[in-house]
């Protein structure tokens, strides 16, 4: 029986864990393609995930599973949290490792969450057996620590030990006194027995001196014992010898009584001192207990806070929670700062690119769109409307001047659609040395668009309607924390001459970019937000007559530019941020683009 108990006590935690893990049976495996957030540049990417034996691993694709996984986490201490707003998203975190995942739909997400929770539970973490083992170990440790601490504390109680020694001394004194008195009373008893006096009351002996002068009763007394005692004395029996034999004559009874009183007083005083020491020690222990209780309370609060923080996803700057949307984790000021920093970075990239780019020879545009084309009517109506507003330059009190720098002025009119800022903007600018044809040519030509438009990641022509009209699809660079944008639109360049030959009317060149809903060659199911736009660049060339008979040079020409923009960026972003970005970017765009045209045309023949 003892050996069995010894074997049970000697069982280590590792052996118990091994014995426990042998009984674990993991549920079914799960394999599927999910979207994983990679970083704020590439966003969501499809990855192939495998859930097996309480481990979640992922591969770039299903075909690359033989080349090894790109990452794996154990679900033993993982936290699985469905996203509160995105019904397809769930997060898996282990310590500082956090995976943002998205399923195809809410049902698929629920399936994954349940499977992950099942694997995590079956792995043994947080189970009853695990808690029981840890609890037993903690109780043993706590008891050992308490015993050691108590012993060390009592070793420091030297005052109590000294008082205990004093009380032991007092006890020895009292024991010797009791032994002396007991010997005296034993001698008295033997003397009485020897004299045959068995009926002497204890009350009759009040003092030791009574035995030196014993009382003798009168003959008439009826006290038989006293008469007998007198007879014994008259016969000359030696009581003194008996008392001397037992040492009764050596007792100083009054001295012993004084000693007894002093000893008992010392005991009482020592007990009082002990009580005082115990009271002081009790106060010290109480204060220490209060400090330990307070310390334990703080530790428990810190543990609860840490436990609460562990349930929250770690802060990952650039994660999907910081993307634009109604539940964005950053405020408007931080949002704008992030956008502003990203735009500054793009500006530097554009400056570096413009310094090394070379322009291709321009092509002469032709207006040859067939009247039977399905976009023929829409294109003509949109361009006619822009020309009408350009001729009037109708800027009334509803337009707010947001930028005024030299010849450039930018106006806006605040407007929202479904909570999204779609402020129409108008800008006017005057540039010397270039013509309206040249400005519109470089603004329209798809071959050079990537050279001056630094916000584009890619741009391609999907279809040509005619030599002056095409369908373009372009993807804008991601500006963190906003979601990446794309645009699908038709673009046309057109010469609009003055129809009234009797008057000196304006002669316009115009480029219009207008969004269309779809196209057969447009990529499908992109994760970008589709921006809707109606943009026009309208230019008029003013020629000053040269002095004398010299030919017209670039010093004699001036281009008056009107830029109309009505853009719905889609998605969700703070209105104040969008308006601040518009106010910053449109003037920069006009200055950058017109400078680009001047640089490209300074050594080339003038295009009228």
């Amino acid at each position: 029986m003892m050996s069995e108990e010894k074997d049970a006590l000697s069982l280590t935690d590792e052996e118990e864990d091994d014995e426990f893990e042998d009984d674990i049976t993991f549920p079914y495996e799960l394999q599927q393609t999910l979207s994983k957030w990679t970083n704020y540049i590439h966003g969501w990417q499809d990855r192939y995930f495998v859930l097996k034996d309480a481990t979640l691993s992922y591969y770039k694709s299903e075909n690359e599973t033989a080349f090894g996984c790109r990452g794996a986490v154990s679900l033993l201490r993982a936290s699985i949290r469905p996203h509160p707003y995105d019904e397809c998203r769930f997060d898996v975190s282990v310590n500082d490792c956090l995976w943002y995942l998205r399923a195809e739909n809410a049902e698929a997400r629920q399936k994954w969450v349940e499977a992950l929770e099942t694997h995590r539970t079956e792995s043994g973490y947080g189970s009853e057996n695990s808690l029981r083992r840890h609890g037993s170990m903690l109780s043993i440790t706590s008891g050992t620590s308490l015993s050691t601490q108590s012993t060390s504390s009592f070793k420091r109680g030297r005052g109590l030990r000294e008082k205990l020694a004093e009380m032991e001394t007092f006890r020895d004194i009292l024991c010797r006194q009791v032994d002396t008195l007991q010997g005296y009373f034993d001698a008295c008893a033997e003397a009485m027995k020897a004299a045959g006096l068995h009926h002497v009351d204890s009350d009759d002996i009040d003092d030791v001196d009574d035995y030196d002068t014993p009382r003798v009763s009168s003959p008439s007394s009826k006290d038989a014992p006293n008469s007998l005692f007198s007879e014994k004395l008259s016969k000359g029996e030696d009581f003194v010898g008996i008392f001397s034999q037992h040492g009764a004559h050596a007792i100083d009874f009054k001295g012993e009584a004084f000693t007894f009183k002093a000893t008992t007083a010392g005991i009482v005083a020592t007990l009082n001192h002990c009580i005082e020491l115990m009271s002081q020690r009790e106060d010290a222990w109480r204060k220490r207990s209060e400090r330990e209780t307070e310390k334990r309370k703080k530790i428990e609060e810190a543990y609860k806070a840490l436990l609460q923080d562990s349930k929250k996803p770690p802060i990952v700057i650039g994660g999907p929670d910081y993307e634009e949307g109604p539940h964005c984790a950053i405020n408007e000021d931080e949002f704008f700062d992030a956008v502003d920093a990203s735009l500054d970075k793009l500006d530097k990239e554009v400056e570096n690119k413009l310094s090394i780019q070379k322009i291709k020879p321009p092509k002469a545009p032709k207006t040859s769109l067939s009247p039977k084309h399905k976009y023929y009517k829409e294109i003509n109506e949109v361009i006619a409307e822009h020309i009408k507003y350009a001729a009037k330059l109708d800027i009334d009190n509803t337009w707010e001047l947001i930028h005024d720098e030299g010849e450039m002025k930018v106006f806006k009119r605040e407007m929202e659609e479904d909570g999204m800022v779609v402020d129409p903007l108008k800008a006017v600018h005057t540039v010397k040395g270039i013509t309206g044809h040249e400005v519109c040519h470089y603004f329209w030509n798809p071959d050079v668009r990537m050279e001056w438009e630094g916000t584009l990641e890619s741009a391609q022509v999907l279809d040509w309607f005619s030599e002056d009209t095409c369908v373009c699809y372009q993807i804008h660079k991601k500006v963190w924390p906003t979601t990446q944008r794309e645009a699908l639109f038709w673009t046309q360049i057109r010469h609009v001459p003055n129809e009234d030959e009797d008057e000196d009317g304006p002669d316009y060149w115009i480029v219009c970019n207008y969004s269309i809903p779809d196209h057969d060659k447009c990529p499908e199911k992109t994760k970008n937000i589709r921006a809707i736009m109606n943009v026009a660049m309208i230019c008029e060339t003013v020629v000053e007559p040269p002095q004398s008979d010299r030919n017209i040079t670039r010093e004699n020409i001036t281009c008056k530019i009107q830029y109309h923009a009505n853009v719905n960026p889609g998605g969700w972003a703070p209105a104040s941020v969008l308006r601040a970005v518009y106010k910053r970017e449109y003037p920069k765009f006009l200055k950058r683009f017109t400078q680009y045209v001047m640089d490209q045309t300074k050594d080339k023949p003038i295009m009228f």
Side-chain angles (χ1 to χ4, degrees), residues 297-310:
K297 183 179 179 181
K298 291 180 180 179
I299 294 175
E300 288 178 351
E301 292 176 354
Y303 171 74
K304 290 179 181 179
L306 183 62
L307 189 63
Q308 196 69 20
D309 291 340
S310 66

Side-chain angles (χ1 to χ4, degrees), residues 306-572:
L306 183 62
L307 189 63
Q308 196 69 20
D309 291 340
S310 66
K311 296 180 180 179
K312 298 178 182 179
I315 298 177
V316 180
I317 302 300
D321 292 319
Y322 293 84
E323 285 258 294
E324 69 169 282
H327 307 292
C328 184
I330 58 178
N331 56 39
E332 292 188 7
D333 292 338
E334 294 172 335
F335 195 99
F336 174 74
D337 291 341
V339 172
D340 191 60
S342 298
L343 292 175
D344 286 340
K345 184 178 179 180
L346 292 181
D347 289 342
K348 293 180 180 179
E349 292 177 357
V350 172
E351 292 175 1
N352 295 333
K353 185 166 60 175
L354 291 179
S355 63
I356 61 175
Q357 290 286 357
K358 293 184 178 180
I359 187 68
K360 297 179 181 178
K363 299 178 182 178
K366 296 180 181 180
T367 305
S368 57
L369 185 64
S370 171
K372 297 181 179 180
H373 196 279
K374 67 176 183 177
Y375 284 107
Y376 179 83
K377 181 179 179 181
E378 179 182 273
I379 292 174
N380 286 328
E381 289 177 352
V382 172
I383 290 181
E385 185 178 6
H386 281 293
I387 292 294
K388 179 178 68 174
Y389 288 120
K392 293 181 179 180
L393 191 58
D394 187 13
I395 299 178
D396 54 21
N397 295 330
T398 61
W399 292 88
E400 175 189 355
L401 179 64
I402 62 173
H403 186 84
D404 187 358
E405 181 183 356
E407 297 294 333
M408 182 191 302
K409 291 180 174 58
V410 181
F411 304 85
K412 76 167 183 179
R413 184 169 60 194
E414 293 190 359
M415 184 182 300
E416 295 187 9
E417 292 181 2
D418 299 329
M420 176 54 63
V421 175
V422 292
D423 296 351
L425 285 104
K426 287 185 179 181
V428 293
H429 193 25
T430 301
V431 183
K432 292 186 66 67
I434 54 178
T435 66
H437 187 186
E438 290 170 335
V439 172
C440 288
H441 166 74
Y442 289 110
F443 185 74
W444 171 83
N445 190 354
D447 294 335
V448 300
R449 185 169 299 155
M450 292 287 293
E451 295 179 9
W452 57 266
E453 181 57 275
T455 64
L456 292 182
E457 184 176 288
S458 64
Q460 56 179 321
V461 176
L462 299 182
D463 193 10
W464 285 94
F465 294 163
S466 64
E467 293 186 9
D468 58 5
T469 309
C470 62
V471 175
C472 292
Y473 173 73
Q474 59 190 27
I475 300 176
H476 293 262
K477 292 180 179 178
K478 183 177 178 62
V479 178
W480 189 83
T482 64
T483 306
Q484 199 163 17
R485 258 64 176 183
E486 64 181 15
L488 177 66
F489 57 94
W490 57 255
T491 177
Q492 185 185 72
I493 182 171
R494 180 181 294 190
H495 181 216
V496 183
N498 180 23
E499 297 180 354
D500 191 353
E501 297 180 358
D502 296 335
E503 296 182 6
D504 188 15
D507 188 83
Y508 292 118
W509 278 90
I510 181 173
V511 174
C512 186
N513 298 335
Y514 192 83
S515 293
I516 58 178
D518 202 2
H519 191 273
D520 295 340
K521 297 180 181 180
C522 181
E524 298 180 357
K525 295 183 178 180
T526 64
K527 299 173 183 178
N528 305 324
I529 294 178
R530 180 73 60 84
I532 307 300
M533 63 181 178
N534 181 5
V535 176
M537 178 76 77
I538 307 168
C539 300
E540 177 186 358
T541 305
V542 178
V543 181
E544 298 177 359
Q547 295 179 358
S548 68
D549 295 333
R550 291 186 303 176
N551 294 329
I552 296 175
T553 64
R554 292 195 176 274
E555 296 179 356
N556 304 117
I557 58 177
T558 302
C559 181
K560 293 183 178 179
I561 302 173
Q562 292 187 45
Y563 182 74
H564 302 170
N566 192 344
V567 180
N568 185 344
W572 186 96

